[in-house]
């Protein structure tokens, strides 16, 4: 009769990574936002509205940012080729690459691609933690955890990137560890 999901899924638009099938949950159990390369930008009213509705109205207990290996958006951001309009969006991933230049330096291209897919999840999960909506919820004592996961489309394994944040206080330490 009405939805009462406990989870908000922020994932990639890629047709191979559908939220419900990956976590094996039926309709009604996951609130979903997807965009190219699961990016969370502080000025994206679409994504922020989804987070606000999920947290304040549906009162979800978990927000999962789930990326995937082999992500075309991440791959495109690594190249110097022009792709038109989408390059503006992919710039957010180029930023992730720039923030983590030291970690990515010297890796072979496949490893670099995999690592950037993971780092992108961690960075976007951090962005979720820093939204005014999530900060306000934590301040008010809401039970809300933010997670970073990555899915492998080759073997179907879903990996937790060990970034679980349940309060503003934990963010810095857990982000650095991840
Ligand atoms: Zn993708």
């Amino acid at each position: 009769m009405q939805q009462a999901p406990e989870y908000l899924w922020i994932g990639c638009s890629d047709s191979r990574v559908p939220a419900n099938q990956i976590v094996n949950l039926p309709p009604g159990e996951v609130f979903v936002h997807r965009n190219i390369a699961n990016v969370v930008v502080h000025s994206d009213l679409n994504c922020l509205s989804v987070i606000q509705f999920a947290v304040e109205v549906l009162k979800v207990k978990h927000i999962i940012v789930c990326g995937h290996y082999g992500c075309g958006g991440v791959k495109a951001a690594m190249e110097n080729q022009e792709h038109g309009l989408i390059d503006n969006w992919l710039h957010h991933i180029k930023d992730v690459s720039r923030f983590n230049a030291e970690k990515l330096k010297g890796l072979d291209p496949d490893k670099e691609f995999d690592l950037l897919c993971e780092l992108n999840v961690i960075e976007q999960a951090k962005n979720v933690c820093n939204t005014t909506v999530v900060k306000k919820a934590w301040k008010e004592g809401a039970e809300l955890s933010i997670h970073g996961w990555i899915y492998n489309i080759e073997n179907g394994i879903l990996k937790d990137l060990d970034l679980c944040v349940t309060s503003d206080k934990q963010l810095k330490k857990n982000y650095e560890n991840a």
Side-chain angles (χ1 to χ4, degrees), residues 12-14 16-17 35-38 67-74:
C12 184
S13 299
D14 191 309
R16 298 166 295 178
V17 288
N35 62 43
I36 290 172
N38 42 271
H68 65 105
Y69 295 113
C71 182
V74 173

Side-chain angles (χ1 to χ4, degrees), residues 32-101:
V32 176
H33 177 77
R34 289 168 70 184
N35 62 43
I36 290 172
N38 42 271
V39 172
V40 177
V41 188
H42 292 124
S43 55
D44 177 3
L45 285 179
N46 183 356
C47 183
L48 293 177
S49 301
V50 169
I51 295 174
Q52 185 188 11
F53 188 77
V55 171
E56 293 181 3
V57 180
L58 298 172
K59 304 206 181 299
V60 297
K61 295 200 163 52
H62 303 272
I63 300 177
I64 298 150
V65 176
C66 187
H68 65 105
Y69 295 113
C71 182
V74 173
K75 179 105 194 149
M78 288 171 70
E79 298 164 354
N80 283 321
Q81 220 178 309
E82 282 181 26
H83 305 90
L85 176 74
I86 194 174
D87 287 330
N88 298 286
W89 185 251
L90 297 178
H91 252 289
H92 297 296
I93 300 163
K94 284 187 189 285
D95 288 342
V96 176
S97 177
R98 189 164 43 83
F99 300 154
N100 295 282

